[in-house]
Amino acid sequence: MASRPFPLPAPGRLCLLLALPLLGLILATLQAHEGPFQGLQALFGSSERSRDALLLHYSWWPRLVIALLAGSGLALAGVLMQQVLRNPLAAPTTLGVASGANLALMVATLMAPGLLLLGREWVALLGGGLTMGLVFLLAWHRGLAPMVVVLAGLVVNLYVGALAMALLLFHQEALKGLLIWGAGSLSQTGWDGVVFLGPRLAIGALLAWLLLRPLAVLELDDASARSLGVSLKYLRLAGLGLAVFITGCVVSVVGVIGFIGLAAPNIVRLAGARRLGQRLLWSPLLGALLLATTDLLLQRFSGALPTLIPTGATTAALGAPLLLWLIPRLKLTGDQPPGTAHALGHRHPAPGRLATGLALLLSLTAAAALLVGQTAAGWQWLSTNDWGVLEWRLPRLLAAAGSGVMLAIAGTIVQRLAANPMASPEILGISGGSAIALMGAIFLLPSPGNLTLVTAGTLGALIILALLVILNRRSGFLPERLLLTGVAITALFDAVRGIVLSGGDPRGQQVIAWLSGSTYYVDLNSALIVAGLAVALAVAAHPFSRWLDILPLGAATARALGMRLDRARLALLLLVALLTACATLVVGPLSFVGLLAPHMARLLGFSRARMHLRGAALVGALLMVLADWLGRQWLFPQEIPAGLVASLLGGAYFMWGLRRL
């Protein structure tokens, strides 16, 4: 009997399918530059000194090689992080490496430009390494437990990103070049980037294969792994440290291209690569093909585009729909009780009195924000002759408090619904959908008014909600599948934002101010509507508290108690969408409040769902009111948007809370 040829596994067939258009694009490009034979000669430094040969040797070939290297490195880092953190939502940027590198370059550009002469990649690596060290410091005493590492990475990422956004607001012209780098630019002027990145990725790949068997143990639960004599803390440190090193090397050369590290491992898993060794083999190959194909397509059509489009942003814009299409085919275990989703915090013996104290503190803070502030004459109380100032201060206070309440409640519901502490309204993509629609209205419509912007933002939120329902209805709105859908949508939003900000359009300043959470443009009518909606939706959320107490226990327990899971999840999702969209339309995508307020409430002692909702709402309002007041007064007469200040205040408190665990 004749032996059959060895069949190519499904991930290999997928890579082969993607390699064919990549090869076609390479041949088409070389054909346009004196033909494939001369193009190959130019790769090895042909003696011909024509313009095309020089362009190919010093720009086009290095760019293609760097795209292949960067894509494979990010995908490899993504596999390692998802394995160590046991979470398909983990990505190479989870630990704040990219945001740390970006902030380090910003600070060096503004305050110590001489450091850039030593090499931009070393400055970026230093910044990424420092943020990684902070994450490990926060999570070390808990044995680098996956949940704590993810939480620490999110809050450090948030904190560093807020600092970078503040610098960008005040120095936009000086940092314009970094906007392009931050969106992921593969442009090369020689082989230096390849020489720097190639050996480091080779070492990273070798270390990953050496760690293959130990890391495979992480697929077991912690007790089983310890019974095999494995030191989980040092194994996680090795895996995460290697992923961070690879990410830092890639980011330092080409900027932030984060979507490849999320998409490639999930796509090969969807294609059938279940074992870690298979994912380590096929994910880097697929990541390299995805990034290189996207970059060649962008180069081919860049002449027809009105502005510069960074490759990193384009990769996310093209890859997000692909991931959305593949998500319904992903097999996840979202019905299993997580066991660690609510490990943070403690239960307060008298949550009612604690809520009353928070309400009193909120009232005092609101009164101080209205009556105390800086004017041209310095600090002063509001006098009877200055009551007109209230017409300016009151709308901002109401908008800040209302948006804080809505986003905090939305975050609480999402975290309990998904049983995932890294969930937030932004992760669901609702705020991203509103933001995409609003930016589209600002840039595509002539002088859009407030009503037009509100309509556009509402339509964007509803479209994303419909997409979430369509993609997840058949699976019964499984939490991890729902969150992965939101991550893909958010990646699309990040891509649109990167393209908008790197294009140099003057309207980008208004977009930056809105994205950072400024209440500057809110009038009294809008503020009253926001405050009224916040109160109404907060009241509407309380009847769902029983569901929110049961859902984190897992699907089996919920069904045993008589819950109809599909209907409950859909109802909660609709409420989250409404809460997030209403807040986003007024003060931008302030999703960090939705992430931090529920955790801060839990750290204070609010554990049961009803009191958790109430405590998170009060914390969210307090955080936003205090942030808006500090933002107006800190650098008076200049302002720091409330969103950035809230991120800094909440992030500092959250890091302190993590250290106390």
Side-chain angles (χ1 to χ4, degrees):
M1 180 177 178
S3 60
R4 292 190 301 174
F6 184 76
L8 188 65
R13 293 196 297 270
L14 179 63
C15 291
L16 180 61
L17 186 64
L18 189 58
L20 294 177
L22 175 61
L23 182 60
L25 287 169
I26 291 174
L27 292 176
T29 304
L30 294 179
Q31 186 64 41
H33 291 81
E34 302 182 354
F37 181 73
Q38 288 79 4
L40 288 174
Q41 283 186 325
L43 169 63
F44 300 103
S46 171
S47 58
E48 182 183 355
R49 309 304 293 177
S50 68
R51 176 180 176 275
D52 277 356
L54 291 173
L55 182 65
L56 287 172
H57 181 72
Y58 289 105
S59 180
W60 190 83
W61 277 114
R63 180 166 179 159
L64 176 61
V65 176
I66 212 74
L68 293 170
L69 289 174
S72 62
L74 291 171
L76 177 60
V79 173
L80 292 171
M81 294 195 69
Q82 291 177 15
Q83 179 73 9
V84 173
L85 299 178
R86 299 172 183 165
N87 197 323
L89 304 178
T93 52
T94 299
L95 299 188
V97 180
S99 58
N102 190 35
L103 179 62
L105 286 171
M106 284 185 171
V107 172
T109 301
L110 295 173
M111 301 178 184
L115 292 176
L116 298 177
L117 298 177
L118 301 176
R120 185 179 66 180
E121 62 273 9
W122 299 110
V123 176
L125 270 175
L126 177 62
L130 289 175
T131 53
M132 174 268 294
L134 180 58
V135 172
F136 285 176
L137 179 65
L138 292 173
W140 183 259
H141 66 295
R142 286 291 300 272
L144 296 180
M147 180 199 65
V148 181
V149 172
V150 169
L151 290 177
L154 280 172
V155 73
V156 170
N157 205 13
L158 173 68
Y159 203 82
V160 174
L163 290 173
M165 183 65 76
L167 289 177
L168 181 60
L169 278 172
F170 294 112
H171 305 281
Q172 188 173 359
E173 288 299 320
L175 299 173
K176 185 178 297 184
L178 279 177
L179 289 176
I180 300 174
W181 177 88
S185 176
L186 296 178
S187 297
Q188 301 292 307
T189 57
W191 291 90
D192 292 344
V194 174
V195 172
F196 175 86
L197 191 57
R200 287 162 177 80
L201 290 186
I203 293 172
L206 176 61
L207 293 175
W209 278 107
L210 292 176
L211 288 173
L212 175 61
R213 293 186 65 183
L215 289 176
V217 177
L218 293 177
E219 296 177 359
L220 306 173
D221 58 81
D222 287 2
S224 300
R226 290 192 184 95
S227 68
L228 296 175
V230 175
S231 175
L232 292 179
K233 178 188 292 187
Y234 291 101
L235 181 57
R236 287 167 179 157
L237 176 63
L240 289 176
L242 180 57
V244 168
F245 169 75
I246 294 171
T247 304
C249 291
V250 174
V251 167
S252 67
V253 175
V254 300
V256 182
I257 306 178
F259 187 76
I260 294 292
L262 171 69
N266 279 295
I267 290 173
V268 298
R269 187 192 296 268
L270 289 165
R274 298 286 185 263
R275 299 173 61 184
L276 176 60
Q278 295 173 324
R279 298 200 301 275
L280 285 176
L281 173 64
W282 296 113
S283 291
L285 181 57
L286 180 62
L289 294 172
L290 281 173
L291 187 56
T293 303
T294 303
D295 189 50
L296 286 177
L297 283 172
L298 183 61
Q299 292 181 61
R300 189 165 185 82
F301 297 106
S302 60
L305 299 173
T307 185
L308 174 67
I309 308 295
T311 302
T314 308
T315 303
L318 297 177
L322 174 64
L323 185 57
L324 286 173
W325 178 76
L326 290 170
I327 282 170
R329 296 155 181 81
L330 180 63
K331 293 183 179 180
L332 298 170
T333 56
D335 281 347
Q336 300 300 320
T340 58
H342 302 291
L344 291 177
H346 61 281
R347 185 171 182 176
H348 195 278
R353 283 188 293 176
L354 181 60
T356 302
L358 272 178
L360 179 60
L361 181 60
L362 174 61
S363 301
L364 293 174
T365 304
L370 286 175
L371 301 177
V372 181
Q374 291 195 72
T375 66
W379 285 92
Q380 62 181 27
W381 285 85
L382 195 66
S383 66
T384 55
N385 297 327
D386 297 325
W387 289 115
V389 177
L390 285 177
E391 297 179 5
W392 177 65
R393 291 181 179 174
L394 183 61
R396 302 186 63 167
L397 183 142
L398 291 175
S403 61
V405 167
M406 287 189 285
L407 287 169
I409 293 175
T412 304
I413 294 174
V414 170
Q415 289 179 15
R416 285 182 170 267
L417 170 65
N420 192 322
M422 70 183 291
S424 72
E426 183 186 37
I427 294 295
L428 270 184
I430 305 299
S431 59
S434 292
I436 290 173
L438 284 166
M439 285 190 287
I442 291 173
F443 279 84
L444 300 178
L445 299 178
S447 303
N450 288 335
L451 181 59
T452 303
L453 293 176
V454 168
T455 303
T458 303
L459 287 175
L462 291 176
I463 289 171
I464 297 303
L465 173 62
L467 187 61
L468 287 169
V469 172
I470 291 171
L471 292 176
N472 293 277
R473 184 176 181 180
R474 179 174 293 182
S475 67
F477 303 99
L478 292 179
E480 286 193 342
R481 196 185 304 273
L482 193 65
L483 291 176
L484 194 56
T485 307
V487 167
I489 297 169
T490 303
L492 184 62
F493 158 63
D494 289 337
V496 173
R497 180 182 60 183
I499 293 171
V500 166
L501 296 184
S502 63
D505 195 295
R507 290 169 291 187
Q509 180 70 27
Q510 179 184 353
V511 172
I512 290 175
W514 176 72
L515 290 174
S516 59
S518 176
T519 58
Y520 183 82
Y521 301 102
V522 177
D523 56 25
L524 183 59
N525 289 334
S526 299
L528 289 173
I529 292 173
V530 172
L533 284 172
V535 173
L537 292 174
V539 172
H542 273 271
F544 296 103
S545 57
R546 181 176 177 272
W547 289 356
L548 295 175
D549 275 325
I550 295 173
L551 281 172
L553 302 177
T557 303
R559 291 192 183 100
L561 294 174
M563 278 188 62
R564 300 187 61 177
L565 279 181
D566 291 3
R567 194 171 289 182
R569 286 169 173 164
L570 179 59
L572 290 169
L573 179 60
L574 287 169
L575 181 57
V576 168
L578 187 58
L579 285 161
T580 308
C582 291
T584 301
L585 291 173
V586 179
V587 291
L590 295 177
S591 57
F592 51 82
V593 176
L595 172 68
L596 294 176
H599 285 291
M600 293 172 70
R602 185 170 292 280
L603 287 169
L604 287 172
F606 296 101
S607 57
R608 296 295 297 272
R610 183 179 297 274
M611 295 308 299
H612 192 196
L613 287 170
R614 192 174 304 174
L618 291 169
V619 170
L622 179 62
L623 182 62
M624 284 303 303
V625 169
L626 183 60
D628 186 63
W629 181 79
L630 286 176
R632 286 187 278 117
Q633 308 303 328
W634 194 352
L635 299 178
F636 182 85
Q638 291 182 314
E639 288 193 18
I640 304 176
L644 297 182
V645 180
S647 179
L648 297 175
L649 292 176
Y653 179 86
F654 195 43
M655 285 189 282
W656 174 76
L658 282 174
R659 288 296 301 160
R660 295 177 64 245
L661 286 177

